[in-house]
């Protein structure tokens, strides 16, 4: 089955700096890669996703890049703000939809003032 | 207001007791999922269902059971065979084809063994 590894497990950045979270996956059939943000005590929420026919996708301060050859994808957050502090999960699915996602172990991002 | 509802928010289980966690969605999603979340271990799949009256084991199904008698409902029973059930349980739903991909999560149930 699919295996998703995520690094780092914790990340501390100063407000205004950029943050990068990296994930690797094992199943070459995976072609859907979402990222979820989970604030303390709340449900995970989808913040951005990418499909394998696209190399990069941006949404304001958030971007995701995908290298299908190397089987890795990354989340980039620019101009970080305190409200970006949360746990971020990457995931992968071997179909064109969200069926049966395999999640990474999460990255706790702390944005300090 | 479409969404996915989990209940109860907090649940306490005594040793040897079975408990059932509720998950209901009104999004008309075909697929539903149960994940367990432990600190530092991310989200691990317990069971999932892509169609009524059918479900599949995930990576950590031992000690759990589910049913899918209605499209809207996917309850999870934590049985006495689950030796370490204390965790945060998340239910999710998604479309299978077309539509907007990605899971919609419920707000979770925190289960504690007392």
């Amino acid at each position: 089955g699919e295996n998703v590894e995520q690094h780092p497990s914790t990340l501390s950045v100063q407000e205004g700096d950029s943050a990068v979270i990296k994930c690797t996956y094992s199943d070459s059939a995976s072609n859907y890669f979402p990222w979820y943000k989970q604030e303390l005590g709340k449900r995970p929420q989808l913040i951005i996703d990418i499909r394998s026919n696209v190399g990069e996708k941006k949404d304001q301060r958030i971007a995701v890049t995908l290298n299908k050859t190397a089987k890795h994808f990354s989340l980039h957050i620019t101009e970080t703000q305190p409200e970006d502090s949360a746990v971020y999960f990457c995931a992968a699915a071997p179909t064109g939809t969200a069926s049966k996602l395999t999640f990474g172990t999460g990255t706790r991002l702390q944005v300090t003032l | 207001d479409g969404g996915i509802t989990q209940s109860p928010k907090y649940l306490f289980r005594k040793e040897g007791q079975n408990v059932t966690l509720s998950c209901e969605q009104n999004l008309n999603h075909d697929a539903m999922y149960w994940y367990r979340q432990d600190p530092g271990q991310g989200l691990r799949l317990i069971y999932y269902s892509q169609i009524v009256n059918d479900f599949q084991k995930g990576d950590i199904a031992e000690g759990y059971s589910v049913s899918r008698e209605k499209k809207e409902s996917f309850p999870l029973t934590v049985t006495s065979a689950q030796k370490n059930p204390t965790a945060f349980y998340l239910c999710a739903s998604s479309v299978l084809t077309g539509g907007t991909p990605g899971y919609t999560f419920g707000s979770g149930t925190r289960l504690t063994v007392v």
Side-chain angles (χ1 to χ4, degrees), chain A residues 14-32:
Chain A
Q14 284 197 322
E15 184 179 5
D17 287 350
S18 295
V20 180
I21 302 170
K22 298 182 179 181
C23 289
T24 60
Y25 62 98
S26 61
D27 189 348
S28 57
S30 287
N31 58 7
Y32 175 66

Side-chain angles (χ1 to χ4, degrees), chain A:
Chain A
E2 176 64 275
N3 181 51
V4 177
E5 295 190 355
Q6 183 172 348
H7 300 280
S9 57
T10 60
L11 179 60
S12 183
V13 299
Q14 284 197 322
E15 184 179 5
D17 287 350
S18 295
V20 180
I21 302 170
K22 298 182 179 181
C23 289
T24 60
Y25 62 98
S26 61
D27 189 348
S28 57
S30 287
N31 58 7
Y32 175 66
F33 308 94
W35 286 87
Y36 289 83
K37 175 183 179 181
Q38 186 178 28
E39 297 178 10
L40 190 62
K42 295 189 177 180
R43 71 189 78 189
Q45 295 200 309
L46 179 69
I47 56 171
I48 195 167
D49 57 14
I50 193 168
R51 295 177 186 270
S52 60
N53 58 347
V54 175
E56 182 176 1
K57 184 176 178 181
K58 290 185 75 173
D59 183 3
Q60 299 182 341
R61 295 186 297 109
I62 292 173
V64 57
T65 59
L66 171 66
N67 183 329
K68 201 158 186 249
T69 302
K71 296 201 190 77
H72 67 71
F73 56 112
S74 300
L75 178 71
H76 304 254
I77 306 174
T78 59
E79 300 173 22
T80 54
Q81 300 167 4
E83 51 264 40
D84 294 329
S85 296
V87 178
Y88 292 81
F89 292 98
C90 62
T95 66
T97 70
S99 181
K100 200 184 168 201
L101 287 170
T102 299
F103 286 85
T105 50
T107 296
R108 183 173 298 280
L109 173 64
Q110 181 69 45
V111 179
T112 58
L113 297 174

Side-chain angles (χ1 to χ4, degrees), chain B residues 1 5-6 21 34 43 53 58 64-65 69-70 89 109:
Chain B
D1 183 25
T5 302
Q6 287 186 244
L21 284 59
W34 275 104
L43 300 165
N53 292 323
Y64 301 96
S65 66
E69 297 178 0
K70 299 186 298 182
Y89 291 86
T109 293

Side-chain angles (χ1 to χ4, degrees), chain B residues 50-67:
Chain B
Q50 297 182 334
I51 193 170
V52 174
N53 292 323
D54 187 51
F55 46 83
Q56 306 296 327
K57 291 182 179 180
D59 300 318
I60 55 165
E62 185 175 350
Y64 301 96
S65 66
V66 293
S67 62

